[in-house]
């Protein structure tokens, strides 16, 4: 479960990145969030000869709103969208984005990266199809604008040419009178959808007069179903339109079956979720609550939130080799201690922490971003260290479980886990603790439901989670009281 060898470039400007794409063509691959690409590399399902890391491109880290649209740049992270005032004008996007993976994934994943990956079960392609987003793609030769039906071609395949990069996506802003909702069913919160529905309705005098419906998980590309939209906008009460639209979806969609769900079950889900999404979208037009509200950005994260993960070490380096493969010199501060390392460019951050720094509290389980055991804090945000290359942490501030407390002065979370027996074998515990440090910083008085959602990306084989939830409640109380818990 380790990435294959590749050459690594981290250009400083968009022009440099496009020149590298022009030079390497099909052998080059863009690395943005990496939350989809790194698992493919580790499982050897992708073997690019060159990785072009665009995380230095601050020029593409933006969320800009106009009267007619919201523009999102290629390096804007999903978590930033959740916290963005501008993104509140995109209620469907905000409703859908909370279904993407887990906070650790959204802290690194980018909107444009998810769209360019083009997984037909992912949420954002469905949002783009439903609202009619515009994709801005660029190469060294120029720029093109593509619509969703042109951009999404087949499974994991887009209309991007080998020398092109998705630099921006433009989501139109719909006028007042529209309500939006996203619904999906997955085997576990954060997994890809067995079926998902993006729905929007425009209501006049209590009647649905216009609708948008797009589906994910039911074909090789996101499916916008015009026939179901017409049925939903029949001018009748929302119940009648929703039933008619659900029937159209269940009869017209042709999903594939697989080990996770049969085609018949996916068609059934499409009908159920169509009704559910249309009703919720309709309710939002009546209440004025167009979608879930983006959480406010915590004050300590407001400054420089767009710089998460941008390397801060040496800007240019001579070519290096270590063990016969490309390598880089990096610097990072871990648990308050400065470290300088020379690492192969394909080495993950998790392996660098364990092997080079001896911080074995960061555990490796699945090594493709599912179990959460390798979670660490990077510049204050919880991330999967198995889904980051060590070179991407150049210049970063990291905290591992070893940096949370000491035997004679436990962190409140450690104290609470001990008091409530929130651990047994202990393998998953470091990932839970680092995940929850960031969670409680942003949510000092969480509900049990919020706690369960926060830990949904961390797997435990022993405790059944009840004791962990109890421990988090206790830790939150200790932290509100300003106690160390020791």
């Amino acid at each position: 479960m380790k990435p294959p060898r590749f050459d690594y470039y981290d250009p400083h400007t968009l022009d440099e990145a496009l020149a590298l794409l022009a030079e390497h063509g099909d052998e080059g691959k863009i690395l943005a969030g990496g939350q989809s690409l790194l698992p493919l590399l580790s499982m050897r399902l992708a073997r690019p000869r060159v990785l072009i890391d665009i995380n230095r491109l601050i020029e593409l880290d933006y969320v800009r709103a106009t009267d007619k649209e919201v523009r999102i740049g290629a390096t804007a992270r999903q978590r930033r969208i959740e916290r963005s005032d501008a993104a509140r004008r995109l209620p469907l996007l905000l409703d859908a984005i909370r279904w993407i993976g887990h906070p650790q994934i959204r802290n690194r994943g980018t909107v444009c990266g998810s769209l360019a990956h083009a997984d037909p079960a992912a949420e954002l392609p469905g949002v783009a199809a439903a609202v009619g987003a515009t994709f801005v793609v660029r190469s060294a030769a120029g720029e093109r604008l593509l619509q969703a039906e042109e951009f999404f071609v087949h499974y994991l395949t887009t209309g991007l040419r080998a020398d092109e990069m998705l630099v921006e996506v433009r989501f139109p802003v719909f006028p007042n009178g529209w309500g939006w909702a996203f619904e999906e069913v997955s085997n576990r919160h954060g997994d890809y959808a067995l079926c998902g529905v993006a729905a929007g309705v425009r209501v006049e005098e209590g009647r649905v007069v216009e609708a948008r419906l797009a589906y994910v998980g039911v074909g090789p590309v996101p499916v916008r179903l015009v026939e179901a939209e017409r049925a939903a906008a029949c001018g009748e009460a929302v119940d009648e339109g929703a039933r008619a639209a659900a029937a159209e979806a269940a009869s017209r969609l042709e999903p594939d079956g697989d080990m996770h769900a049969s085609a018949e079950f996916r068609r059934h889900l499409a009908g159920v979720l169509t009704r559910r999404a249309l009703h919720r979208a309709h309710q939002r037009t009546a209440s004025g609550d167009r979608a879930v509200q983006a959480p406010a950005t915590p004050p300590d994260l407001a400054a420089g939130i767009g710089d998460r993960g941008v390397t801060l070490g040496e800007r240019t380096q001579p070519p290096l080799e270590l063990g016969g493969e490309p390598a880089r010199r990096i610097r990072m501060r871990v648990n308050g201690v400065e470290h300088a390392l020379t690492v192969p460019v394909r080495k993950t951050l998790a392996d660098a922490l364990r092997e080079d720094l001896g911080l074995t509290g960061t555990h490796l389980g699945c090594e493709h971003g599912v179990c959460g055991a390798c979670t660490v804090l990077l510049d204050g945000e919880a991330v999967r260290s198995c889904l980051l290359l060590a070179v991407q942490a150049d210049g970063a501030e990291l905290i591992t479980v070893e940096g949370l407390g000491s035997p004679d002065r436990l962190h409140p979370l450690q104290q609470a886990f001990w008091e409530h027996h929130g651990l047994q074998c202990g393998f998953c515990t470091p990932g839970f603790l680092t995940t929850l440090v960031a969670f409680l910083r942003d949510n000092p008085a969480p509900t049990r439901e919020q706690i369960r959602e926060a830990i949904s990306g961390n797997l435990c084989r022993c405790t059944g989670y009840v004791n962990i939830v109890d421990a988090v409640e206790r830790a939150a109380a200790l932290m509100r009281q300003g106690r160390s818990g020791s």
Side-chain angles (χ1 to χ4, degrees), residues 56-69:
R56 290 185 189 266
L57 304 188
I58 303 300
E59 61 192 289
L60 298 181
D61 186 9
Y62 58 81
V63 184
R64 297 170 182 160
T66 69
D67 291 340
K68 296 183 178 180
E69 62 188 8

Side-chain angles (χ1 to χ4, degrees), residues 96-419:
I97 210 163
R98 67 191 181 92
W99 292 95
I100 299 175
H102 312 283
Q104 302 99 315
I105 298 296
R106 300 196 295 273
N107 283 336
R108 291 297 301 179
T110 64
V111 170
C112 287
S114 177
L115 292 168
H117 184 58
D119 192 306
E123 293 80 6
L124 295 186
V127 173
V131 302
T134 299
F135 299 79
V136 182
V137 303
R138 194 175 299 173
S139 69
E143 181 177 285
R144 294 193 297 148
L145 302 181
L146 300 178
Q147 300 307 306
E149 61 270 20
E150 302 170 290
F151 188 80
F152 299 111
V153 175
H154 208 266
Y155 287 106
L156 307 178
T157 306
T158 70
L160 287 169
R161 298 165 184 160
D163 63 342
E164 286 181 326
M165 171 182 162
L166 177 61
V167 297
E168 178 184 270
V169 60
R170 299 172 181 173
F171 291 97
V173 173
F174 282 67
N176 291 334
W178 279 87
W180 298 92
F182 191 94
E183 294 281 353
E184 75 172 46
V185 168
S186 58
N187 287 329
R188 180 181 69 134
H189 180 75
D191 286 355
Y192 285 110
L194 301 178
C195 178
V197 181
V201 297
R202 182 168 66 87
V203 175
E204 292 182 0
E205 298 180 353
R207 305 287 184 174
V208 177
V209 296
E210 192 174 355
R212 295 288 183 101
L213 286 164
Y215 299 81
V216 299
V218 294
V221 296
V223 179
R224 184 175 167 194
L225 206 55
V226 176
E227 295 85 358
E229 293 175 353
R230 291 173 182 157
C234 61
E236 302 295 333
V238 65
D239 287 344
E240 297 177 28
R243 283 197 298 269
E248 288 286 347
S251 65
R252 291 183 178 274
L253 292 172
E254 298 180 353
D256 293 328
D258 56 28
M259 63 181 292
H260 302 292
S262 67
E264 181 182 5
F265 182 56
R266 283 193 163 96
R267 281 193 294 269
H268 170 74
L269 286 178
V272 172
L273 295 179
T274 297
R275 293 195 301 273
R276 189 180 299 172
L278 286 172
H279 276 285
R280 198 152 62 91
H282 184 269
Q283 290 169 358
R284 285 173 171 167
T285 64
S287 67
D289 177 20
R290 300 177 67 200
V292 293
Q293 293 296 305
T297 303
D300 59 327
L301 296 180
I305 192 170
D307 296 339
R308 298 291 179 222
V310 176
T311 55
L312 302 174
E314 299 178 31
R315 286 293 180 175
T316 57
Q317 298 186 21
L320 288 176
E321 283 195 358
L322 188 66
E325 58 181 292
R328 282 286 186 96
R329 294 189 184 96
I330 63 171
R331 295 178 180 274
M332 53 188 177
R333 179 186 289 269
V334 185
N335 301 330
V337 179
E338 292 280 355
H339 296 276
L341 306 172
T342 299
V343 294
V345 296
R346 66 170 174 149
K347 191 166 199 172
T348 67
L349 176 59
D351 285 339
L353 292 171
R354 291 176 58 83
E355 297 171 5
D356 296 271
L357 300 184
L359 297 172
T360 55
T362 299
H363 292 162
L364 286 173
C366 65
E367 295 196 70
H368 57 277
V370 173
C371 72
C374 69
T375 303
V376 299
L377 297 174
L378 185 146
D379 293 333
E381 300 280 27
V383 300
R384 304 277 209 250
S385 60
C386 74
L387 296 185
L388 277 130
L389 300 174
V391 291
Q392 293 181 286
D394 188 21
E397 180 92 20
L398 287 133
I399 297 176
T400 69
V401 69
E402 290 91 343
L404 296 185
S406 61
D408 59 343
R409 188 174 179 82
L410 297 177
H411 186 280
L413 273 165
Q414 294 170 316
Q415 177 73 22
F417 265 61
W418 173 64
E419 290 178 1

Side-chain angles (χ1 to χ4, degrees), residues 8 29-34 37-38 51-55 389 392:
Y8 173 85
K29 189 73 173 176
I30 294 290
L31 172 63
L37 179 57
L38 262 294
L51 277 193
I52 303 168
D53 184 349
I54 63 171
N55 283 284
L389 300 174
Q392 293 181 286

Side-chain angles (χ1 to χ4, degrees), residues 384-469:
R384 304 277 209 250
S385 60
C386 74
L387 296 185
L388 277 130
L389 300 174
V391 291
Q392 293 181 286
D394 188 21
E397 180 92 20
L398 287 133
I399 297 176
T400 69
V401 69
E402 290 91 343
L404 296 185
S406 61
D408 59 343
R409 188 174 179 82
L410 297 177
H411 186 280
L413 273 165
Q414 294 170 316
Q415 177 73 22
F417 265 61
W418 173 64
E419 290 178 1
H420 291 270
H421 196 53
L423 69 159
Q424 287 188 27
C425 77
F427 186 85
C428 66
T429 305
F432 272 99
L433 293 173
T434 47
T435 294
L436 290 164
V437 165
F439 170 69
L440 290 180
R441 176 200 62 206
D442 299 344
N443 303 273
T447 64
R448 290 182 73 86
E449 182 179 356
Q450 289 171 331
I451 294 169
R452 288 184 179 279
E453 183 171 351
I455 63 176
S456 62
N458 295 77
L459 297 180
C460 176
R461 299 185 181 188
C462 300
T463 69
Y465 303 97
V466 174
N467 290 353
I468 293 176
V469 176

